[in-house]
Amino acid sequence: MEFLQDFARNAWVQYDYSRRLEESLDVLKTEIQELSSREADVKNELNTAKVMHGKKPKAEVSLWLENVEKVTSAVTKIEAVYGEVERDFSLPRVALGKRVIKNIEEVVKLKEKGRFSEGILANLLPESGSMPTTKLVGRTTAERNLKQIWESLMDQKVRTIGVYGMGGVGKTTIMTHIYNKIQSSGILGTAIWVTVSNDSSIERLQNGIARVIELELSDEEDEMRRKMKLFEALKRREKFVIILDDMWKSFPLEKVGIPEGNAYKIVLTTRSKNVCRGMKCQKKFEVEVLSREEAWELFKERLGADVVLSSEVEQIAKLVTEECGGLPLGIITVASAMREKDDVREWRNALEELKCSTMEIEGMDDQVFPILKFSYDRLKSKRIQSCFLYCALYPEDYEFDDEYLVKYWIAEGLIDDMGDWDKTQDKGHTVLNGLIDVCMLVRRSERRVVMHDLIRDLAIGITRKRPLFVVKIGKGIIGVEEFTEEVEKISLMRNQIEMLSGEPNCSKLSTLLLQDNPLSGNISHEFFNCMNSLRVLDLSMTGIEYLPESVSNLENLCMLLLGSCKRLREVPSLAKLKRLRFLNLLGTGIKEVPDGMECLVDLKELYVSSVEATNMIDAGGCNSLMLPDSIIKLNMGRCELSSLHCLSRMQHLQICYIWTCSMKWLLPIGDNSTIIPSLPSIQYLNLMDLPNFRGLCEGVLMPGSFTCLRNLIVWGCQVLENVMSIELFQHLQCLESIRIIECSEMEEVVKGGEEGDNNNNNNTIILLPNLKFFTLRNLGKLKSICKRTIICPSLIVIRITVCPWLKKIPLSFCNSTTAVDGGIEGSKEWWDALEWDDPNTKTLLLPLFHEQTSEVEGRGMKRKSEQVEEIAST
């Protein structure tokens, strides 16, 4: 009887869930509306607090907003499922009723938690977080300076503070500690850090401040409006501290748009006390050099905490430290150079070099450069020294991309040719890391380095004599008088040069950097006649309309950069440039691929595209476009061509981008006389926005083709019906990532493999041991991925979105029990009807049900257009 009673009660509860489903759903809708209103109020309050006062939400508020978003999404799904239940009464109402009651309870709890009786705002928002810094050295110097600066900041009567001292003495290090203290304490509001530099202007300073406070000024050219917009944005904040690092000249704060008032404080660092006076600093602090004891502690620390010096070496090392004059930057550079040196003779020689080194550079302290030059002199070879000096050709605070800097060095012949392209680049990166290790370059991020401005000054000073450089960046209008017979490298970027004429005799010139100049008057055709040693020519982002005929005779040229020359229409024959390794024609106005491309037997990287989508570059038909076999990286866009016949014999190509081109086939009809595999070294293949594309190859490929392929992207190829044959697919053992997106006519990813097909072997599975990422998106006609089971034990991310006609998932995770990141989007009916070669696969995937696909498709189209533009500007 007790059992029957329990059964009856449970049955009644189940029935009640179903009976009261509509009523419960109405309650849920009311509750979620009230919760959404509270959510909107909280978000508005947070947005106002951020804009007006730079404040951030408390952690509990952020968590509450996340939970509100989750429960709102859950309620939306419930409403969708309820619609299905109403149409089909055979679907379970009880389970849905339980979910509704559970969500009502969650919404009510969130409403209660959303009261936030103690407020929703935390301390002031640190707009750029903490800055990485090194510890302060010396209690009687740096720590004293830090304490004095902080006390002045806390003084309500003090608005402007100047911190001055010689280069390399540690001004910036002290201020990074001040910056972090402001951000963490919140007492002084937010800190805004701007590096000013020697060639800064009012406009650049305004842009630097605007970037930090998220104010858009890039489109505002009127000086008065820029000042007013910045003034109003800063005025809305209760208080802030602007740190202007490395100022070289004074300027009125009102011209920038910085409001007056002691709640708005300014701290500047400079090498000149006169700048402090010009900025009317109420407090001025000189950062002095380290005491003898502090200098020795820093020197020992940089040598290595575990280093034990003999008594004789230690005595000399202390004298070496004294020669550094207490300058932290000098101590660090010398200690880095002497690390792991234990031969007393090397230490004696080092001491002698420091004593004898002299260098006179206008505007620099005589004590600094002998110390810094010591580290330069100890670089292992003249070539490594030349690699270091090469960085001085670029603007102050310029961030070098590791890859591009190494390529410049290679083009200049500063890196030994190792006989293998990858090994040569490895050699270049080894040199780069060596310069970072001895503090001649500074790592800014994972792939970017900068040159300390004082170190750059050293390099500029060295190159005023031998080797002779001319470096005039952002100086205005400059003429041909800079092109002398003895000059070896010239950098005139970012000037107002309209025209270059004449025939200057520069027989020693190896690098000429002219990027970001108007050059609307072009360059005379004979200009390069007497520049036979030229190896690097950069005309990127100029207004040049044609390339002078004399460029055709630069037989030693290794790098020719014409990217973003939008007006460029003509490029002469390149047939004689047999040493050319890097050619960039991305975003130009050329109408056809330059003549003589097949003669560039040492070309490693080729980039070519039209600046306009309506102006396709004539790249010839199947047999007319010939590229050398040496190419490692190819990027072609907006070109008119039927196929890339030359790819059939490219044995070294590793990276290939083809986008917005008219070709039908990547490779032409298979030639029985061809006995070598096609693209055996290709690792990354990106085919995007190809409206006529039919497939990778029209014919049969030789064994060994594509065997190194790791990443494959096919995006926006609207007539493509399949990507590849089963014969090719099963040999892609290195494949790590497949992304097939927005190919509206595609019916199958892999063609062939049906039972009884005589063209295939009898294997029933395909093993792809390295496949990690698999994406199919917006494939409206896709019916099949592959007729065979695909075993992919390494798969970690899978995305299948808007593929409504796909009936079967042939992927198998090889008995894995680990959930795969990602999900499959579609209707519940589609998900339930899917067939699986491996039932275990279904349990490891997360279905995301939706009714409408237009929003998903729209997001996909937006992403594709963005990626096309990104590639075009690479």
Side-chain angles (χ1 to χ4, degrees):
M1 181 61 69
E2 184 178 350
F3 169 76
L4 291 175
Q5 289 175 347
D6 289 341
F7 178 80
R9 278 195 298 271
N10 289 334
W12 173 254
V13 171
Q14 301 289 330
Y15 171 72
D16 194 48
Y17 278 127
S18 176
R19 179 178 64 85
R20 299 177 58 190
L21 176 58
E22 289 77 8
E23 179 183 344
S24 299
L25 193 59
D26 288 339
V27 173
L28 178 60
K29 289 180 179 179
T30 301
E31 295 290 345
I32 199 67
Q33 286 176 353
E34 295 178 1
L35 180 63
S36 297
S37 298
R38 178 55 182 154
E39 178 192 24
D41 292 341
V42 170
K43 285 184 175 179
N44 287 335
E45 187 176 348
L46 289 175
N47 186 57
T48 301
K50 178 181 178 181
V51 173
M52 299 290 288
H53 312 296
K55 291 190 175 183
K56 66 177 182 179
K58 290 182 177 179
E60 63 172 325
V61 177
S62 298
L63 180 61
W64 182 81
L65 289 171
E66 291 177 8
N67 291 332
V68 170
E69 185 176 350
K70 290 178 182 177
V71 77
T72 302
S73 177
V75 171
T76 301
K77 291 181 180 178
I78 286 175
E79 292 176 345
V81 173
Y82 177 72
E84 295 293 327
V85 170
E86 286 293 286
R87 290 191 292 272
D88 185 353
F89 285 96
S90 66
L91 294 176
R93 295 169 58 87
V94 174
L96 184 60
K98 288 182 178 180
R99 289 175 63 184
V100 171
I101 296 300
K102 181 180 179 182
N103 276 271
I104 289 174
E105 294 172 353
E106 292 179 1
V107 172
V108 171
K109 288 180 181 179
L110 284 172
K111 283 174 56 183
E112 185 64 28
K113 289 182 178 180
R115 297 180 187 275
F116 301 118
S117 57
E118 296 183 3
I120 67 173
L121 299 173
N123 292 328
L124 293 179
L125 173 64
E127 279 143 350
S128 54
S130 297
M131 295 180 66
T133 188
T134 56
K135 71 175 184 179
L136 293 174
V137 180
R139 295 182 180 179
T140 60
T141 51
E143 289 186 3
R144 182 186 67 237
N145 288 326
L146 182 105
K147 180 181 178 182
Q148 291 175 337
I149 295 169
W150 183 256
E151 289 175 350
S152 296
L153 282 169
M154 298 300 293
D155 188 341
Q156 294 183 358
K157 298 179 181 179
V158 176
R159 184 192 180 208
T160 55
I161 300 170
V163 180
Y164 67 96
M166 70 167 58
V169 78
K171 302 182 296 294
T172 299
T173 300
I174 291 174
M175 288 314 304
T176 56
H177 283 270
I178 292 288
Y179 175 92
N180 290 340
K181 194 171 182 179
I182 294 170
Q183 297 291 65
S184 61
S185 69
I187 298 173
L188 296 167
T190 56
I192 301 171
W193 183 290
V194 180
T195 301
V196 183
S197 302
N198 186 22
D199 58 349
S200 187
S201 63
I202 296 289
E203 182 175 342
R204 287 182 62 185
L205 179 56
Q206 290 173 326
N207 289 338
I209 298 173
R211 276 194 299 271
V212 178
I213 66 174
E214 299 180 359
L215 174 67
E216 183 57 53
L217 281 182
S218 58
D219 296 333
E220 189 61 70
E221 296 181 357
D222 183 75
E223 180 181 345
M224 182 60 69
R225 288 188 55 82
R226 288 172 60 85
K227 182 177 73 172
M228 290 174 59
K229 289 178 71 172
L230 187 59
F231 178 87
E232 290 299 326
L234 291 172
K235 189 76 173 178
R236 288 197 295 267
R237 294 168 178 260
E238 291 180 352
K239 48 190 174 181
F240 59 79
V241 178
I242 295 180
I243 299 173
L244 303 175
D245 187 42
D246 196 20
M247 285 190 61
W248 287 74
K249 56 187 178 182
S250 57
F251 53 82
L253 293 177
E254 58 271 16
K255 279 194 173 184
V256 180
I258 299 174
E260 296 182 359
N262 292 335
Y264 313 130
K265 297 180 181 291
I266 312 294
V267 185
L268 60 94
T269 71
T270 177
R271 298 182 193 178
S272 171
K273 193 173 182 179
N274 287 331
V275 173
C276 296
R277 296 192 184 101
M279 294 296 293
K280 301 178 182 178
C281 293
Q282 296 164 280
K283 291 282 187 177
K284 293 180 280 290
F285 299 100
E286 181 181 5
V287 178
E288 299 174 348
V289 297
L290 302 178
S291 67
R292 180 180 298 181
E293 293 77 16
E294 293 165 346
W296 176 236
E297 288 300 318
L298 176 60
F299 192 87
K300 288 193 298 182
E301 176 187 323
R302 291 305 171 123
L303 275 181
D306 57 343
V307 173
V308 179
L309 301 176
S310 68
S311 58
E312 185 177 8
V313 169
E314 180 172 328
Q315 185 178 358
I316 299 172
K318 287 183 177 179
L319 295 175
V320 167
T321 306
E322 290 180 14
E323 288 295 327
C324 294
L327 187 67
L329 182 58
I331 294 168
I332 291 169
T333 53
V334 173
S336 298
M338 296 304 295
R339 192 179 296 149
E340 300 180 1
K341 306 290 186 184
D342 54 10
D343 190 331
V344 67
R345 289 168 294 189
E346 290 192 66
W347 282 92
R348 283 200 300 263
N349 180 66
L351 178 59
E352 188 63 24
E353 287 185 16
L354 280 171
K355 286 182 176 180
C356 298
S357 181
T358 59
M359 188 170 185
E360 296 180 4
I361 298 179
E362 183 182 354
M364 294 292 128
D365 300 284
D366 293 338
Q367 301 176 51
V368 177
F369 286 104
I371 297 167
L372 300 180
K373 189 174 183 297
F374 170 79
S375 194
Y376 165 79
D377 289 337
R378 295 194 67 83
L379 292 175
K380 293 180 180 180
S381 68
K382 291 291 184 183
R383 285 197 174 189
I384 296 177
Q385 288 180 343
S386 297
C387 289
F388 161 72
L389 295 177
Y390 200 89
C391 301
L393 293 170
Y394 289 82
E396 192 173 287
D397 299 317
Y398 185 86
E399 291 192 9
F400 295 94
D401 181 279
D402 290 8
E403 298 290 337
Y404 280 92
L405 181 55
V406 168
K407 288 171 186 175
Y408 274 105
W409 289 344
I410 293 173
E412 257 284 348
L414 302 178
I415 303 298
D416 292 327
D417 192 338
M418 307 296 290
D420 178 273
W421 181 241
D422 290 334
K423 291 179 180 179
T424 302
Q425 290 193 100
D426 290 344
K427 179 70 173 178
H429 283 280
T430 301
V431 172
L432 176 62
N433 291 333
L435 290 172
I436 295 171
D437 288 342
V438 296
C439 304
M440 304 300 279
L441 293 175
V442 179
R443 172 66 65 192
R444 178 62 59 85
S445 62
E446 183 180 356
R447 291 185 55 188
R448 293 187 177 274
V449 296
V450 296
M451 193 179 220
H452 188 285
D453 51 4
L454 187 61
I455 298 290
R456 180 176 180 271
D457 290 342
L458 167 73
I460 292 290
I462 294 173
T463 58
R464 283 177 180 163
K465 299 177 181 178
R466 185 69 61 199
L468 181 59
F469 289 11
V470 171
V471 182
K472 294 190 175 181
I473 300 170
K475 301 297 183 182
I477 300 175
I478 296 175
V480 294
E481 63 274 4
E482 307 296 343
F483 294 81
T484 63
E485 187 174 355
E486 296 298 317
V487 69
E488 297 181 36
K489 293 174 179 59
I490 296 178
S491 175
L492 301 177
M493 62 178 72
R494 299 182 182 177
N495 287 301
Q496 298 298 318
I497 301 174
E498 296 285 346
M499 182 178 181
L500 290 172
S501 59
E503 191 176 348
N505 182 13
C506 298
S507 58
K508 296 181 181 179
L509 185 64
S510 61
T511 288
L512 177 56
L513 306 180
L514 292 167
Q515 58 264 45
D516 206 7
N517 276 290
L519 283 178
S520 55
N522 291 303
I523 302 174
S524 60
H525 280 294
E526 66 279 3
F527 189 80
F528 297 102
N529 281 343
C530 299
M531 298 183 186
N532 297 327
S533 298
L534 198 61
R535 299 176 67 98
V536 175
L537 176 59
D538 194 338
L539 289 162
S540 306
M541 296 177 289
T542 62
I544 191 171
E545 295 182 0
Y546 58 81
L547 204 60
E549 293 289 342
S550 51
V551 169
S552 296
N553 298 317
L554 297 175
E555 297 184 3
N556 286 305
L557 197 65
C558 295
M559 177 179 280
L560 178 57
L561 305 179
L562 299 164
S564 298
C565 292
K566 300 178 181 180
R567 300 174 62 196
L568 182 64
R569 296 293 184 267
E570 297 179 21
V571 175
S573 174
L574 305 178
K576 293 183 181 180
L577 309 187
K578 298 185 185 300
R579 300 187 65 181
L580 196 65
R581 289 190 168 191
F582 309 96
L583 176 58
N584 188 344
L585 294 165
L586 276 181
T588 62
I590 60 173
K591 298 180 180 179
E592 58 185 24
V593 174
D595 180 54
M597 294 295 298
E598 69 279 4
C599 300
L600 307 181
V601 294
D602 207 19
L603 192 65
K604 303 300 181 186
E605 297 188 6
L606 172 63
Y607 307 81
V608 56
S609 76
S610 170
V611 68
E612 299 175 0
T614 56
N615 180 28
M616 301 284 277
I617 297 173
D618 182 8
C622 180
N623 296 314
S624 59
L625 178 62
M626 297 298 293
L627 299 176
D629 179 37
S630 58
I631 292 180
I632 303 290
K633 184 174 182 180
L634 175 65
N635 185 334
M636 292 189 68
R638 294 174 180 160
C639 292
E640 192 76 42
L641 73 168
S642 57
S643 71
L644 280 170
H645 179 76
C646 52
L647 291 187
S648 300
R649 55 186 178 81
M650 279 191 170
Q651 300 294 292
H652 302 96
L653 186 65
Q654 297 177 10
I655 301 172
C656 183
Y657 294 83
I658 307 294
W659 49 280
T660 320
C661 291
S662 59
M663 71 178 187
K664 293 183 179 180
W665 303 96
L666 182 67
L667 300 173
I669 297 175
D671 185 352
N672 292 331
S673 65
T674 302
I675 59 173
I676 59 174
S678 297
L679 299 176
S681 301
I682 192 76
Q683 297 179 22
Y684 188 101
L685 180 59
N686 190 327
L687 305 171
M688 184 180 296
D689 196 23
L690 306 176
N692 303 318
F693 189 59
R694 299 288 182 176
L696 295 182
C697 181
E698 190 175 3
V700 178
L701 290 171
M702 289 293 294
S705 300
F706 291 92
T707 51
C708 290
L709 186 64
R710 294 183 180 181
N711 297 277
L712 174 64
I713 297 177
V714 181
W715 196 331
C717 300
Q718 301 302 338
V719 300
L720 184 64
E721 296 181 358
N722 61 77
V723 179
M724 70 186 82
S725 66
I726 190 76
E727 293 89 350
L728 175 58
F729 187 60
Q730 63 191 358
H731 289 102
L732 303 184
Q733 297 296 290
C734 294
L735 197 62
E736 297 177 2
S737 174
I738 305 175
R739 298 177 67 192
I740 315 296
I741 301 170
E742 292 177 19
C743 299
S744 58
E745 296 298 316
M746 182 174 292
E747 297 188 2
E748 54 186 346
V749 176
V750 179
K751 180 182 180 181
E754 296 87 351
E755 293 184 9
D757 190 343
N758 294 327
N759 293 325
N760 301 291
N761 57 39
N762 294 323
N763 292 335
T764 58
I765 64 171
I766 293 176
L767 175 62
L768 297 180
N770 296 299
L771 187 64
K772 297 180 179 67
F773 307 96
F774 185 79
T775 297
L776 301 175
R777 189 168 76 224
N778 291 3
L779 305 176
K781 293 186 178 181
L782 184 69
K783 297 178 181 177
S784 168
I785 296 175
C786 181
K787 299 297 193 304
R788 306 270 188 86
T789 300
I790 305 171
I791 303 236
C792 38
S794 301
L795 196 67
I796 56 177
V797 175
I798 180 172
R799 297 278 193 275
I800 300 180
T801 306
V802 193
C803 301
W805 295 103
L806 185 63
K807 304 300 182 184
K808 186 176 183 180
I809 305 295
L811 305 178
S812 173
F813 302 151
C814 197
N815 298 321
S816 172
T817 58
T818 304
V820 177
D821 183 22
I824 300 181
E825 295 188 20
S827 67
K828 187 175 185 303
E829 292 85 356
W830 173 77
W831 168 264
D832 291 338
L834 277 175
E835 300 176 12
W836 305 84
D837 280 4
D838 180 0
N840 182 52
T841 302
K842 182 176 183 179
T843 64
L844 299 176
L845 297 177
L846 174 67
L848 303 173
F849 303 138
H850 57 75
E851 295 298 322
Q852 297 180 346
T853 62
S854 58
E855 181 180 351
V856 178
E857 293 171 349
R859 291 200 305 266
M861 288 299 292
K862 180 180 180 182
R863 282 193 291 267
K864 185 192 81 167
S865 63
E866 289 173 349
Q867 187 164 348
V868 168
E869 292 305 317
E870 180 182 353
I871 290 175
S873 60
T874 300

